[in-house]
Amino acid sequence: MPSSAFAQSRAAVAFNDDEATLQRTIALLEESDDHGGAVDPDVRETAFARYLALPAPGARAGKNWRYDYAALEVAGLSWSSGRQPVAALPQRPGAKRLDDDASADNLSTANAGGLFHVGATVLEPRELPSLDPRVTVLPLADARRTHGDVVAGVLHQLIDFQTDRFAALATAFQNCGAFVFVPAGVQLAEPLVLVFASAPDPAAVFPQIVVVLGDGARATVIERHIGESESFICGTVEAHVGSGAQLDYVAVQQAGESARAVVARSARCEARATMRWHLAELGAGLARTTLETRLEGEGANAAINALFFNTGMQHVDLATTVRHERGHTTSATIVRSAANDRGQGRYLGNIIIRPHAHGSDASLRDDALLLSKRAHIDSIPALEIAANDVKAFHGATVGSIDDEQLFYAQSRGIGRGEAERMIALGFFEPAVAHFPSEALRNEVRTALDAKLDEATERA
Amino acid sequence: MNERGLRFSDLRANVESKEILKGIDLFVEPGRVHALMGPNGSGKSTLAFAAAGHPNYTVTGGTICLDGSNLGDLAPDKRAKAGLFLSFQYPAAIPGVSVANFIRTASQAVHPDDLTPAKFRAAIFEKLDVLDMDAALLGRYVNDGFSGGEKKRLEMLQLAMLAPKYAILDETDSGLDVDALRAVGDSVNDMRKSDAGRDTGFLIITHYPRILQYITADVVHIMLDGRIVKTGGPELAQTIEREGYDRIREEAAAGAL
């Protein structure tokens, strides 16, 4: 697809995280009823004030984040908001690296519902995919008009921009986003897909996503970040999972090597609800991800499967938090991370069990694999348990490839490089195996394999 | 023309700078079965690891030649490609790597243009049958959560699939019940009857003569303290069965051997 098809439907402004840019973006949004206007101007101003007031993570509370976010440079990007009509959703998004990828079809929204963004511009297909008519998938701004109360009950309710500096920035400059609503009792077989492809020019993209599952509903939502350019993605995802509902939320981040992606995600689970996160951080030069799960209803449960693999100069900060607020809630967190070359990573795993969360059961398993001398991964588990009759387990390892495994594979004729690659891929498998479809599992395996290749080529 | 066989000549090897092998001479011909017996700590496993090229075992003297080529400083995978196979006493688990994937990768490495995927499948199923193993094993991770018996059967499955020129079986019988032992024996005998395995030379390392009831040895060697002190026919294994190693140890100490 030629890049002209991605032309912005409105003028962009040069982005900077300053008051003047905020006022220009507010003025820009007020000129139209654009989908980007999902946040009221006064909320944007409040959020921006918080952004300025809050310290950058890593600058002072240095131990929690590997990267010093005060050094994060955001000037020189463009901020825009718009929508672009297209005849049909692109089967193969414009990003170069996907052209020859057989799995690229998976990235289209064609066989399910979804939204496709290029930069902050949402592509509006004339032919809509065969979405279950009971289900709503809309740009967030449209949803504010059609589902105002539902949106208001979740948006900015789970992630507090008063305390989270990047959530404040995302709220102030919100320029795209999605609303997914699966009413009570509706169970979807096919996943809903939200794609964020980078625009040809370096852009500042601030998506805010709201997912609401009614009681007993079931759905899989896949959030993808793809493309090559030097974008800055700063967003929030807030999910409400009703009683007995089940949400699989997949986030696959394959942004370009010079992209920065800072995303906070949080889910609130009612009684007996199931929330499963599946996170693969594979791209971007710098990625900072927080995943919070609030088990607020009796018997709610959560699974967190997360992996990241840093090669080259890549840097990932990942934090997961599970809050056991009520009794008989369960959670299982599995994190697998690896780093090669000069890759840097830090994982913070928090489990919080409140005094009244009797009979709860939490496990946290976190393993890191270092594939080069200059790679570095920190692992910081933190369990805060205030109830007595609970089960809580945590285990963490950081290590390199085991010599005996290597010798065993080599003794079978498998060359050292191939053996290392096989063992490293196997290392990720406990997290990969939980991804909710074979197509996704294979896609993640292929991506990990390609990253191992890149590292081998550089070596 | 190169001699055919696996030859250890005056092999000396250290583990953590302690000399364990003190000059081993041993020659395993194609198609023959040699048993290497000896008490714990006599150096049998060291011989196996030194042959396979384990980085912690340093050869300080002598040579190991496979069909006339010195294995010298070859990496372990090059030795396997040359035709050597080691069945491990304690095989490593490789979580996340399926048995099928592992054996296919190994098979492609050792026999690059040998088997089509369909033939590979047919071959592996046939061998699973002989070993009395469930096909579900192919989807499990290599040795991960395997019982002792399952691990040894998996070693035999790999042996049968890779059909090496020379196979060293390190204590394959240890910790096996009678059924597993019979399955191991059946697998090796089945292989020796096949075209691919007819010429395979075996070095069966064992503490007890039990496995030799299932696999008949042509030659039996007794190893004590890093040296081979006695070599004989299958009857030597029966002597050990009856008398243990004490008599041989006394004879060796008295300089009679």
Side-chain angles (χ1 to χ4, degrees):
Chain A
M1 180 172 292
S3 63
S4 60
F6 293 151
Q8 304 296 337
S9 61
R10 103 183 31 258
V13 301
F15 179 73
N16 205 348
D17 55 343
D18 57 21
E19 183 65 35
T21 309
L22 180 72
Q23 292 310 325
R24 278 203 299 276
T25 62
I26 289 172
L28 207 61
L29 287 163
E30 281 186 346
E31 282 169 19
S32 78
D33 57 351
D34 185 79
H35 79 289
V39 179
D40 291 334
D42 58 322
V43 176
R44 289 180 189 270
E45 281 170 351
T46 307
F48 189 66
R50 287 309 295 160
Y51 169 74
L52 294 178
L54 289 164
R60 285 175 215 166
K63 81 178 175 71
N64 282 352
W65 301 99
R66 182 123 188 102
Y67 188 84
D68 178 0
Y69 290 86
L72 184 68
E73 184 57 62
V74 291
L77 304 166
S78 74
W79 183 99
S80 68
S81 176
R83 55 184 71 206
Q84 175 77 41
V86 289
L89 288 166
Q91 284 293 314
R92 285 165 189 264
K96 189 171 52 181
R97 64 200 279 178
L98 298 165
D99 281 354
D100 299 318
D101 185 348
S103 72
D105 288 343
N106 290 329
L107 298 171
S108 85
T109 53
N111 56 0
L115 288 179
F116 197 107
H117 299 80
V118 175
T121 303
V122 66
L123 303 187
E124 297 211 305
R126 287 192 208 102
E127 298 163 31
L128 272 170
S130 55
L131 181 62
D132 187 314
R134 297 169 295 176
V135 175
T136 305
V137 180
L138 283 175
L140 189 61
D142 295 2
R144 273 194 86 205
R145 291 189 289 272
T146 58
H147 296 74
D149 290 349
V150 184
V151 172
V154 180
L155 181 65
H156 308 149
Q157 301 303 302
L158 303 186
I159 298 170
D160 185 4
F161 62 67
Q162 295 291 339
T163 54
D164 181 329
R165 185 168 186 264
F166 287 108
L169 185 66
T171 302
F173 290 97
Q174 181 273 337
N175 56 355
C176 61
F179 172 69
V180 173
F181 179 43
V182 184
V186 175
Q187 306 198 341
L188 292 180
E190 294 292 326
L192 300 162
V193 187
L194 307 172
V195 180
F196 296 87
S198 66
D201 301 317
V205 185
F206 300 99
Q208 296 208 295
I209 296 169
V210 170
V211 178
V212 178
L213 263 63
D215 295 349
R218 272 190 193 192
T220 298
V221 175
I222 304 174
E223 174 197 338
R224 294 180 182 283
H225 297 274
I226 55 173
E228 285 292 333
S229 76
E230 193 181 325
S231 48
F232 173 54
I233 302 152
C234 177
T236 62
V237 177
E238 292 164 291
H240 172 91
V241 190
S243 296
Q246 182 179 312
L247 174 61
D248 281 275
Y249 194 97
V250 184
V252 181
Q253 188 270 106
Q254 290 181 285
E257 244 177 272
S258 49
R260 283 81 48 85
V262 179
V263 185
R265 300 179 180 87
S266 178
R268 175 173 69 203
C269 302
E270 298 197 332
R272 299 174 318 283
T274 297
M275 176 69 217
R276 289 194 287 249
W277 297 102
H278 313 277
L279 177 73
E281 295 285 347
L282 300 166
L286 169 66
R288 178 187 191 264
T289 295
T290 56
L291 271 188
E292 180 195 51
T293 315
R294 305 175 176 194
L295 302 174
E296 295 189 352
E298 190 83 8
N301 57 83
I304 293 96
N305 310 307
L307 61 91
F308 62 84
F309 185 14
N310 301 335
T311 53
M313 302 286 283
Q314 279 185 304
H315 195 124
V316 170
D317 273 326
L318 168 67
T320 69
T321 303
V322 181
R323 300 178 188 278
H324 291 258
E325 305 280 354
R326 290 282 179 278
H328 305 100
T329 49
T330 63
S331 70
T333 303
I334 298 172
V335 177
R336 292 270 157 155
S337 59
N340 209 345
D341 310 320
R342 289 168 179 265
Q344 304 283 306
R346 179 165 298 196
Y347 170 65
L348 270 167
N350 301 300
I351 303 279
I352 299 161
I353 303 182
R354 298 278 190 219
H356 37 271
H358 304 296
S360 289
D361 185 340
S363 70
L364 170 61
R365 177 83 233 174
D366 147 42
D367 299 277
L369 180 65
L370 300 176
L371 294 167
S372 77
K373 287 203 174 81
R374 284 178 163 150
H376 185 97
I377 296 176
D378 291 325
S379 165
I380 310 166
L383 276 66
E384 185 185 317
I385 300 168
N388 288 324
D389 53 342
V390 299
K391 277 197 255 176
F393 161 86
H394 99 264
T397 63
V398 180
S400 49
I401 284 183
D402 181 68
D403 287 341
E404 294 307 317
Q405 291 180 341
L406 200 56
F407 175 65
Y408 185 65
Q410 280 188 279
S411 81
R412 297 302 181 244
I414 301 168
R416 190 186 171 95
E418 177 69 16
E420 284 176 342
R421 167 200 179 107
M422 176 183 258
I423 294 164
L425 279 177
F427 167 81
F428 283 108
E429 200 54 29
V432 176
H434 286 93
F435 275 63
S437 76
E438 189 61 17
L440 279 165
R441 289 190 286 273
N442 283 335
E443 185 194 319
V444 171
R445 288 177 188 127
T446 303
L448 290 168
D449 203 19
K451 295 202 69 163
L452 282 163
D453 265 354
E454 285 168 25
T456 310
E457 278 163 24
R458 270 192 296 271
Chain B
M1 186 176 154
N2 283 338
E3 120 183 305
R4 292 188 64 211
L6 181 65
R7 183 179 288 282
F8 299 83
S9 307
D10 193 28
L11 185 72
R12 292 163 186 276
N14 286 1
V15 181
E16 288 167 357
S17 68
K18 181 172 190 274
E19 185 171 58
I20 307 291
L21 300 183
K22 300 168 180 172
I24 299 287
D25 289 291
L26 186 64
F27 184 56
V28 180
E29 310 88 338
R32 299 262 284 175
V33 176
H34 288 242
L36 180 64
M37 301 183 65
N40 287 334
S42 55
K44 305 186 300 295
S45 290
T46 299
L47 183 72
F49 279 127
H54 192 294
N56 294 355
Y57 295 74
T58 316
V59 172
T60 53
T63 58
I64 308 166
C65 292
L66 192 152
D67 288 352
S69 309
N70 190 350
L71 296 180
D73 296 328
L74 282 187
D77 52 300
K78 298 287 193 321
R79 294 173 194 234
K81 286 189 176 111
L84 186 68
F85 179 90
L86 171 62
S87 168
F88 285 62
Q89 185 177 4
Y90 303 110
I94 310 185
V97 177
S98 74
V99 167
N101 181 22
F102 186 71
I103 298 182
R104 196 181 304 116
T105 307
S107 180
Q108 279 163 0
V110 173
H111 306 293
D113 353 275
D114 219 29
L115 288 178
T116 64
K119 282 185 181 161
F120 177 84
R121 268 183 80 80
I124 205 164
F125 275 98
E126 184 193 313
K127 279 146 184 121
L128 281 169
D129 258 4
V130 175
L131 282 160
D132 197 19
M133 293 166 97
D134 193 328
L137 170 120
L138 297 176
R140 290 173 62 189
Y141 298 154
V142 174
N143 291 316
D144 193 26
F146 279 37
S147 70
E150 285 175 324
K151 286 182 185 172
K152 296 302 173 65
R153 285 182 207 229
L154 180 57
E155 294 296 284
M156 292 303 100
L157 179 66
Q158 295 175 62
L159 167 65
M161 288 301 293
L162 299 178
K165 287 180 182 163
Y166 303 95
I168 301 174
L169 274 50
D170 187 12
E171 305 270 5
T172 297
D173 52 339
S174 70
L176 291 191
D177 61 24
V178 176
D179 290 338
L181 199 55
R182 183 176 296 121
V184 164
D186 286 350
S187 174
V188 169
N189 292 326
D190 196 71
M191 178 181 161
R192 297 189 69 216
K193 276 183 263 168
S194 72
D195 288 344
R198 185 164 294 133
D199 288 337
T200 299
F202 282 87
L203 181 62
I204 297 180
I205 294 174
T206 181
H207 184 97
Y208 302 104
R210 210 160 57 121
I211 193 172
L212 302 178
Q213 292 166 15
Y214 299 90
I215 307 167
T216 312
D218 299 303
V219 185
V220 176
H221 309 271
I222 309 296
M223 190 166 181
L224 282 182
D225 191 29
R227 291 187 180 87
I228 289 174
V229 295
K230 194 163 189 174
T231 294
E235 73 287 347
L236 189 53
Q238 284 151 25
T239 312
I240 297 294
E241 175 91 305
R242 274 198 315 275
E243 302 174 3
Y245 292 105
D246 286 351
R247 174 105 170 256
I248 287 181
R249 197 177 273 125
E250 283 161 20
E251 285 174 29
L257 294 175

